[in-house]
Amino acid sequence: MNDLVRQQTALSDTDLEWLHLLVSEWQLLSDLSFADLVLWVPTRDGTRYVSVAQMRPNTGPTSYQDDMVGHLVPRGRRPLLDAALDEGRIVREGDPEWREEVPVRVESIPVRREGRVLGVIARNTNLLTVRTPSRLELTYLQSASDLAQMIAAGSFPFPGQQVDMDASPRVGDGLVRLDADGVVQYASPNGLSAYHRLGLASDLVGQHLGGITAELAPSRGPVDEALVKLASGYAPREFEVECTGGVIQLRAIPLKPKGVRIGSLVLLRDVTELRRRERELITKDATIREIHHRVKNNLQTVAALLRLQARRMDSEQGREALNEAVRRVGSIAIVHETLSQNLDERVEFDEIADRVLAMVAEISPGKVTCRRTGRFGILDAEVATPLAMVLTEVLQNALEHAFGVAESGTVEVSAVRGGSPTEARLLITVQDDGCGLPEGFDPQRTGNLGLQIVRTLVEGELSGTFGMVPAPERGTRVILDIPVRADK
């Protein structure tokens, strides 16, 4: 719609926003009318109409099998469009049209904003299955007529009331029609069933919906006046009512076809099962976060015990081995601490990498600077945990073997995400400017325990590749290439 309006018409951006607001709401009009809706807007030169949006009803057969969006119609070919645009009124004159042996009643509704008619909605009703209307259908059609008059007057949709149609109640979920005092004139079977779920034992017709709703809602004090007003439909609002029997989502739509409120529509939907599942997910998320938090605490306890044991050892080699184990456990604890603060099993790894850099830098024998460039991005937990340990081992190896006791230098960690959206990869480079690799050193065959851990984790758990080569000028470069999920 954005492209069609901007390319074909002279409407402003604020006019376009009004059309977007209308289109977000007009499924309601389509369902109440049992009709297809097509939004026509005059072109920039005023000689044609362009269709910029289309909606089919959920409550009846369609009148258009084809997609109408983007069609151009010369002015004069459809007199009802011309009359609605020029006169700014709803036009219903004329006999039904025949489309593929199907009679279709066509009406035109002007779309008004701040006194100007921006376009015309063509309402097309398939008459092939017309029968004597029931009370429900008559209520639907009367409500649709009221909404059409409000659109023609520029009072619907309601400014600032953007509606999420995927989450809001629809016509078929349940409908209650109120008079100007908030008394129920009609309640659809689904609407009545929803109130029975809340605990209502009688019929709704003839009762004040706000009062009944406030009585059914659990309260220990006086009647909730705000709830009474909301359920009476005095203002366009969405809200929920929860009782022991269930949860009902309501949406109130004041009806003002001639500028004065004559009543309201209340759409309602039983969301008891949906809210139950949401609570289960929230409980599950909280449990998972608590598990990560406890794992982090346990790992920190293990690290503290290893650190205590290291202090009691006389062997320098044994003490250093335990200190390395402390750092390995610490890197895993950092990941679990981050996971304990998230709602999903994905983490922003840049923060983890910075904390690992700071932790490993504490063992630097000289004045060695550690820094990070690039961005790791968001990683899954099953990638983040082994990668944190790999990064710890590589950095620890660089600081221990690349520099002497009093030497200064730099260790730089670089991260670059690339590849295609379906096969994203993370390229990590750890480079130092130290003494470089010993002659004849083969990282795939030789090396200490730390490099063996790196090879096992990168090639086994991460399904990546690991390389260790001399840096271009001086020092050593470690290259890690691992597959990751695309970072949205």
Side-chain angles (χ1 to χ4, degrees):
M1 187 166 72
N2 285 347
D3 294 339
L4 287 171
V5 169
R6 286 169 178 157
Q7 293 171 7
Q8 301 279 355
T9 76
L11 296 183
S12 65
D13 287 343
T14 52
D15 294 334
L16 178 57
E17 285 301 317
W18 183 260
L19 295 185
H20 273 295
L21 191 60
L22 172 66
V23 169
S24 73
E25 292 272 26
W26 71 342
Q27 180 73 65
L28 173 64
L29 177 63
S30 178
D31 290 345
L32 290 173
S33 304
F34 308 98
D36 290 73
L37 305 179
V38 179
L39 177 58
W40 297 92
V41 180
T43 57
R44 188 173 284 104
D45 58 9
T47 61
R48 295 179 295 178
Y49 298 97
V50 58
S51 59
V52 299
Q54 179 180 2
M55 179 57 66
R56 294 183 175 93
N58 294 319
T59 52
T62 183
S63 303
Y64 284 112
Q65 298 297 330
D66 300 328
D67 184 9
M68 295 297 297
V69 176
H71 283 216
L72 290 166
V73 174
R75 185 176 171 86
R77 179 175 295 181
R78 300 194 177 183
L80 295 185
L81 293 181
D82 298 338
L85 183 69
D86 297 338
E87 301 174 23
R89 64 180 180 89
I90 299 175
V91 182
R92 296 190 176 93
E93 297 90 355
D95 297 326
E97 299 180 0
W98 287 83
R99 299 175 188 162
E100 300 179 356
E101 300 183 354
V102 175
V104 177
R105 181 175 66 241
V106 182
E107 304 165 82
S108 295
I109 304 168
V111 178
R112 192 184 303 273
R113 174 182 175 268
E114 296 181 352
R116 296 184 303 113
V117 177
L118 308 182
V120 178
I121 294 176
R123 182 163 55 177
N124 303 267
T125 306
N126 187 325
L127 300 178
L128 194 61
T129 58
V130 170
R131 62 185 186 279
T132 303
S134 64
R135 178 75 187 280
L136 180 144
E137 291 170 329
L138 289 173
T139 303
Y140 277 21
L141 293 172
Q142 180 58 53
S143 302
S145 176
D146 294 335
L147 285 177
Q149 293 182 57
M150 291 169 65
I151 292 173
S155 57
F156 186 84
F158 303 109
Q161 292 289 324
Q162 189 75 32
V163 175
D164 181 4
M165 291 306 298
D166 292 332
S168 293
R170 300 197 176 205
V171 170
D173 295 328
L175 178 144
V176 176
R177 172 92 185 209
L178 309 179
D179 64 13
D181 297 323
V183 177
V184 178
Q185 294 179 313
Y186 175 80
S188 71
N190 284 345
L192 184 58
S193 296
Y195 265 82
H196 284 168
R197 185 73 178 266
L198 290 182
L200 179 69
S202 61
D203 195 2
L204 270 176
V205 176
Q207 303 207 51
H208 191 277
L209 188 67
I212 286 292
T213 305
E215 289 177 11
L216 294 174
S219 176
R220 297 180 181 178
V223 174
D224 189 342
E225 295 294 339
L227 181 58
V228 172
K229 196 163 186 178
L230 285 173
S232 300
Y234 285 95
R237 293 287 187 274
E238 279 195 30
F239 57 99
E240 288 187 3
V241 176
E242 181 172 359
C243 301
T244 54
V247 184
I248 304 299
Q249 182 182 15
L250 298 97
R251 182 188 176 203
I253 304 169
L255 297 176
K256 303 176 181 179
K258 296 181 180 179
V260 178
R261 194 174 72 86
I262 62 168
S264 305
L265 276 184
V266 177
L267 304 180
L268 45 95
R269 175 187 177 198
D270 186 347
V271 292
T272 305
E273 188 63 22
L274 179 62
R275 295 295 176 260
R276 184 188 65 81
R277 274 184 265 167
E278 286 178 353
R279 290 190 184 99
E280 287 181 353
L281 288 174
I282 291 172
T283 303
K284 180 181 177 182
D285 290 338
T287 302
I288 291 173
R289 289 199 300 272
E290 179 62 22
I291 290 172
H292 284 302
H293 183 70
R294 293 189 181 187
V295 170
K296 183 262 297 184
N297 289 343
N298 291 339
L299 288 172
Q300 288 180 339
T301 301
V302 171
L305 291 174
L306 291 173
R307 193 178 297 112
L308 183 62
Q309 185 66 37
R311 291 173 184 165
R312 292 175 175 268
M313 293 196 70
D314 297 329
S315 169
E316 183 65 30
Q317 186 176 2
R319 188 184 302 114
E320 184 55 37
L322 287 176
N323 286 332
E324 287 183 3
V326 168
R327 287 187 284 273
R328 288 167 186 150
V329 172
S331 64
I332 301 173
I334 291 173
V335 177
H336 282 282
E337 182 179 1
T338 306
L339 287 169
S340 69
Q341 300 169 1
N342 292 346
L343 293 176
D344 55 12
E345 290 291 290
R346 307 195 78 196
V347 295
E348 178 65 60
F349 197 80
D350 293 325
E351 179 185 351
I352 294 174
D354 292 338
R355 293 181 63 179
V356 168
L357 277 168
M359 178 182 67
V360 177
E362 295 176 358
I363 68 167
S364 173
K367 297 180 180 179
V368 180
T369 302
C370 298
R371 63 170 178 259
R372 173 180 63 87
T373 61
R375 181 174 175 272
F376 287 86
I378 298 175
L379 300 177
D380 293 330
E382 57 265 26
V383 174
T385 302
L387 182 57
M389 198 166 182
V390 166
L391 193 58
T392 301
E393 296 296 337
V394 172
L395 289 169
Q396 190 169 278
N397 189 72
L399 292 173
E400 285 184 356
H401 301 289
F403 306 100
V405 175
E407 288 183 341
S408 61
T410 302
V411 177
E412 181 175 322
V413 179
S414 172
V416 178
R417 294 187 79 128
S420 64
T422 56
E423 296 182 0
R425 303 194 72 83
L426 177 60
L427 180 64
I428 305 167
T429 304
V430 181
Q431 182 170 319
D432 64 70
D433 55 2
C435 62
L437 296 173
E439 187 175 349
F441 180 82
D442 183 1
Q444 299 300 330
R445 295 181 180 273
T446 60
N448 55 21
L449 175 62
L451 290 182
Q452 293 177 23
I453 293 174
V454 170
R455 284 197 300 268
T456 302
L457 292 177
V458 171
E459 297 171 0
E461 289 198 34
L462 297 175
S463 302
T465 59
F466 161 68
M468 198 172 187
V469 298
E473 297 181 0
R474 183 185 178 211
T476 305
R477 174 181 291 176
V478 176
I479 302 171
L480 307 171
D481 186 1
I482 62 174
V484 294
R485 200 203 303 187
D487 186 7
K488 296 182 181 180

